[in-house]
Amino acid sequence: MFRYQVLIEYIGTNFVGWQIQSKGKSIQKEIQVRLSKLLKEKVILLGSGRTDAGVHAIEQSAHFDCKKEIQNLDKLLKSINHFINDKGISVLAIKKKSLKFHARHSAKQRIYKYIIFNRLSKPSLEKERGWHIIKKLDIELMKKGAKKLLGTKDFSTFRASSCNAKSPIKTMKSVKIKSTSGRIEIQFKSQSFLQQQVRSMVGSLKYLAENKWNLKKFEFVIKSKKRILCAPPAPAEGLFLEKVIY
């Protein structure tokens, strides 16, 4: 048996998410079906984690096993992209790995990026690649709030009711915010995340930056561990899985 890692870029707009569902198109299924046909054997593609409907990836990581060693990885890369590129999916690389490698379990850190367009006009070039917010956001206050998210804590406030993670306790390694010409990028780094955690944190940071909440209220909401107190989650279109670190 041979194991291969696949690095994937995709636009999540027209998909139900990464994971195969009973209804709708998923990124996992699109690639898995095509790989199986090209390799002439049934292939199961396992991702580093789920991304919800509408969420994009700059570099999702996955792996699959096959019975025969692949002799020409470049040829396979070109072949698979020929069939999936027009669907908004690109396989960036296919790498041979040891059988000890696992796309999900071997991951040491995951990096997500959220993009906000804080300006009067809606984006055209980057339509559906960010959250358009007209009201001027207080970036400095947002940065102060981001510091409150750092460290190991119970993130139940930011956890979707459908989340099946064993524990709500996660360690946020870093939250970086940069703003250039009305474009705000918020980068989150942690070993793993709860379902809808990033979007819920962004939604709450937005409330803070709009002065709907002050820092004291923001901190209270985090410590409450009550989902009902969370601000509405940010829309999926602004969220990108940036990188999985092994």
Side-chain angles (χ1 to χ4, degrees):
M1 194 67 76
F2 299 91
R3 183 161 293 179
Y4 295 89
Q5 181 190 18
V6 187
L7 298 177
I8 310 139
E9 170 188 281
Y10 54 82
I11 298 163
T13 308
N14 299 319
F15 293 94
V16 293
W18 161 263
Q19 198 152 317
I20 293 172
Q21 316 251 344
S22 55
K23 290 180 181 178
K25 294 187 297 178
S26 71
I27 296 101
Q28 182 187 19
K29 188 176 182 180
E30 293 287 344
I31 302 170
Q32 189 171 286
V33 166
R34 188 48 58 185
L35 272 174
S36 297
K37 286 180 180 177
L38 288 168
L39 296 172
K40 296 181 173 60
E41 64 174 279
K42 189 176 180 182
V43 164
I44 304 295
L45 188 67
L46 299 172
S48 68
R50 301 175 64 146
T51 55
D52 293 335
V55 176
H56 318 293
I58 296 166
E59 193 181 278
Q60 167 70 288
S61 172
H63 81 263
F64 68 89
D65 292 342
C66 58
K67 293 169 190 170
K68 294 177 187 173
E69 187 173 5
I70 300 164
Q71 298 302 319
N72 192 332
L73 290 174
D74 285 347
K75 185 183 176 184
L76 178 62
L77 187 71
K78 286 178 185 175
S79 298
I80 193 159
N81 280 322
H82 172 75
F83 292 105
I84 64 173
N85 278 168
D86 64 347
K87 300 174 193 283
I89 308 170
S90 295
V91 172
L92 305 172
I94 304 172
K95 304 174 182 179
K96 190 178 177 186
K97 292 283 182 178
S98 81
L99 290 172
K100 290 179 181 177
F101 174 83
H102 193 286
R104 185 159 68 92
H105 301 313
S106 303
K108 289 189 169 64
Q109 296 293 327
R110 291 170 173 84
I111 300 172
Y112 277 89
K113 178 168 72 175
Y114 198 93
I115 294 174
I116 295 171
F117 297 109
N118 192 201
R119 65 193 202 193
L120 288 173
S121 51
K122 276 191 171 184
S124 291
L125 284 175
E126 294 186 273
K127 188 183 178 184
E128 295 177 323
R129 309 284 188 278
W131 188 8
H132 179 229
I133 300 170
I134 292 173
K135 188 176 180 181
K136 185 71 176 169
L137 300 178
D138 187 331
I139 303 298
E140 292 310 309
L141 197 52
M142 197 182 255
K143 285 178 178 177
K144 286 176 183 175
K147 287 179 182 176
K148 306 287 183 187
L149 296 167
L150 295 173
T152 303
K153 48 175 62 79
D154 187 323
F155 283 96
S156 290
T157 299
F158 307 112
R159 179 182 190 170
S161 57
S162 54
C163 179
N164 56 15
K166 289 178 183 175
S167 170
I169 296 168
K170 300 290 174 186
T171 301
M172 194 64 58
K173 288 280 185 184
S174 71
V175 182
K176 295 176 183 176
I177 300 174
K178 62 180 181 180
S179 177
T180 314
S181 304
R183 180 192 171 100
I184 302 165
E185 288 190 13
I186 313 170
Q187 188 195 69
F188 299 89
K189 188 177 183 181
S190 177
Q191 184 175 9
S192 60
F193 291 86
L194 301 166
Q195 188 182 355
Q196 269 194 21
Q197 184 182 343
V198 174
R199 288 167 56 199
S200 299
M201 292 188 295
V202 171
S204 297
L205 285 170
K206 181 220 180 210
Y207 262 32
L208 181 64
E210 285 180 324
N211 291 302
K212 283 184 180 176
W213 291 350
N214 57 25
L215 267 175
K216 193 175 179 182
K217 173 70 185 284
F218 184 76
E219 204 163 5
F220 170 77
V221 168
I222 297 169
K223 289 178 179 177
S224 74
K225 304 171 195 171
K226 293 178 180 176
R227 177 68 176 171
I228 198 166
L229 296 181
C230 185
E237 62 191 28
L239 184 57
F240 296 76
L241 171 56
E242 190 171 351
K243 195 170 184 64
V244 183
I245 300 166
Y246 295 97

